[in-house]
Amino acid sequence: MPIAELFTASIRTLAVGSYSPAQIEAWAPQPPDLAGWRERLQGRTTLIATISSDLAGFLSYEDDGHIDLLYTAPAHARCGVASALYDAVQARLAAVGVAVLFTEASLIAEPFFSRQGFRIVEAQSVTRGGQVFQRYAMAKRLGAQNHDAAPAARR
């Protein structure tokens, strides 16, 4: 599954400075759990970005405004891929009347979402594969200032 492969490569390359080797292994195990990926993507819309027929990134979201997954391939990181995907999803969700976008951002994703106008609702600790991770529940009100109007974060 190309999306799982991109996710794994992204975590194992781009997250190295922010997470321990044990955390990276727990977050992006080799080989990826393909059944788990199929289940996670079910019920979500996933946009993909390609550059010269290479999968450059993907963003999965839900109709309620939840941005679940946003990852870029290491070779295409910091080249505008995530921004293009995010802009497309924000436009889609705004067009159908979604008022608030929300996500759970990793330490490396938080600056990106902050640049897009998201605000931290709360710091969270979650456990994956026996490792504890810090992340941020973040939200952005569309069409208005972001004033503490965020849905409950996903656990």
Side-chain angles (χ1 to χ4, degrees):
M1 174 183 286
I3 286 176
E5 292 169 13
L6 183 148
F7 168 87
T8 301
S10 180
I11 298 302
R12 290 178 170 267
T13 303
L14 303 175
V16 169
S18 299
Y19 295 94
S20 72
Q23 287 174 311
I24 289 172
E25 182 60 37
W27 192 4
Q30 287 281 50
D33 174 9
L34 297 182
W37 271 98
R38 281 191 275 292
E39 182 178 320
R40 183 156 188 189
L41 293 173
Q42 204 168 39
R44 289 167 177 78
T45 302
T46 301
L47 297 184
I48 62 168
T50 58
I51 297 176
S52 300
S53 75
D54 290 335
L55 179 60
F58 71 95
L59 188 155
S60 292
Y61 67 96
E62 296 171 86
D63 293 339
D64 64 357
H66 181 231
I67 297 174
D68 188 32
L69 301 162
L70 174 57
Y71 290 91
T72 58
H76 301 291
R78 294 167 187 84
C79 296
V81 172
S83 294
L85 288 165
Y86 170 77
D87 289 346
V89 167
Q90 177 178 291
R92 284 181 177 201
L93 291 172
V96 297
V98 172
V100 177
L101 302 181
F102 61 104
T103 193
E104 300 78 37
S106 67
L107 298 177
I108 57 176
E110 182 274 327
F112 171 83
F113 283 104
S114 288
R115 285 190 303 274
Q116 306 312 313
F118 283 70
R119 300 290 177 252
I120 294 173
V121 175
E122 70 176 347
Q124 299 176 329
S125 293
V126 294
T127 302
R128 300 275 188 268
Q131 297 294 310
V132 176
F133 294 85
Q134 299 302 307
R135 70 179 188 187
Y136 300 98
M138 301 182 77
K140 175 183 179 179
R141 179 170 294 283
L142 297 179
Q145 294 294 338
N146 188 8
H147 291 292
D148 300 324
R154 306 280 166 102
R155 299 277 176 206

